Amino acid sequence: MIVLFLVLGPMALGIASLLVRGERRRAARRAILVGGAAWHTLGTLATLTAWGRQVPVSWQSFLQLDPIGQVFLLIISVLFFLVAIYSLGYFQQEQETTLDDGVSHLYTPCMLFFLAAMTLTTVTPHFGVLWVAVEATTLASAPLIYYHRHPGALEAAWKYLLICSVGIALALLGLFFVAASGRAAHVDLTVPSLIHHAAALDQRWLRIGCILVLIGFGTKMGLAPLHNWLPDAHSEAPSPVSALLSGALLNCAFLGIVRFYQVADAAGLGAFMNRLLILFGLVSLLVATAFIAGQRDYKRLLAYSSVEHMGILALAVGVGAGAAGLLHAINHSLTKGLLFLVAGQILTLYRTKVIGDVTGLLRTAPRVGTLFAIGGLAIVGAPPFAPFVSEFLILQRGVAHGHYAVMAIYLLCLGIIFVVMSRALFGMLFGAANAEIAQTPALPRRMMIAPALLALGVAGLGLYLPAGLQTLVARAATFIGGGS
């Protein structure tokens, strides 16, 4: 029942917050947002405790929380809670310094609907419900991208809606083929049922279904060459929303692909899916490398970095490094959440997204600069931060499974990205202090707490992985299959 409340709770609070209208009640809406986020995090931790006692969590065949779902639910819940706290300070600061307060009355309800939809993707084994949940994430998050109501935000929101809707439509078509593959065996569209009857599935229909699903959910995940919506959406959305889009939403689509991978692997199509995932992973890495090298906007730079890391996740599953891939999903979410939240701080201070216009960050705003340095070093794969560990483990598993050429391209792309992205980030960190910005009042403490905690997580997980998290990731990897 806890799982059911994790979905219905945010939805009910979102509806309630729609009734709290008016600028004078802004504080009440923010209180609902933080309260709902805290309640969701406590509920998520309760489900983890329940799983530790081997108590099944289910509601009919539509809601069942398995270890893979737990990994992604934990990421979503923790990141959303931190983003909710950050939002209190971010929008207060924005309201004090700008005349345009955006579609503020929709922020809290849309965020809570977004949380409910993302939660549903993690707790359902039913492909029909999963498809509805992924589509719901698009509808709930599009108004958040349009928050600032300027032409760039409108274009980004429409591009996001259009491209992701086309992708989701292809995924639905793929779902029909998967259903057709099990017509003779009379299976339902749940992961356990399809795996149980995998030997009876028609591989011709299933193969077509897997291709369409990979293209469809790959579009939402931001895999190249289907990633066109991602740079605009991440760049134009408010920074708290960008953090969730990159750190939580992309994982939901990745989870959908993993669910189909489980079925394909059980039906004997694991090698076929591996080749597709490796192909999409390499293309994403190559495209991200090319676009990162030419970026002048630091939020778009982080967006293309998301394309890179989604490619790494696809590659990890394709080369049989599922456990390392899951660990990298956690590490990427924490790091990218940190970077987008700090990007919001930089935007608040410098009033620009142009990389060349931001210099001397460590001297101008030492705390912001330090957090940005930690996030920047982590995202380029520098040791000893957490992404370095998971990227190394993926390399190790890929080589162990004989994917020498693939791993060589993987290393080459990571090396180039390390150099070009470090040059851009270091240019922002070092240099003379901006005296005018340095004299402005310090940012609100509520804007500093969440990035500081994320930085602590990014640094801490690179040095020590708690036993409970190791167990959770290892157990989830066994569910993926494919030699993970």
Side-chain angles (χ1 to χ4, degrees), residues 38 151 153 177 255 304 354 432 468:
F177 279 97
L255 176 59
Y304 278 107
V354 179

Side-chain angles (χ1 to χ4, degrees), residues 278 282 285 315 319 402-411:
I278 290 173
L282 288 180
L285 276 170
L315 198 67
V319 300
H403 298 283
Y404 302 116
V406 172
M407 288 297 103
I409 299 172
Y410 168 75
L411 266 184

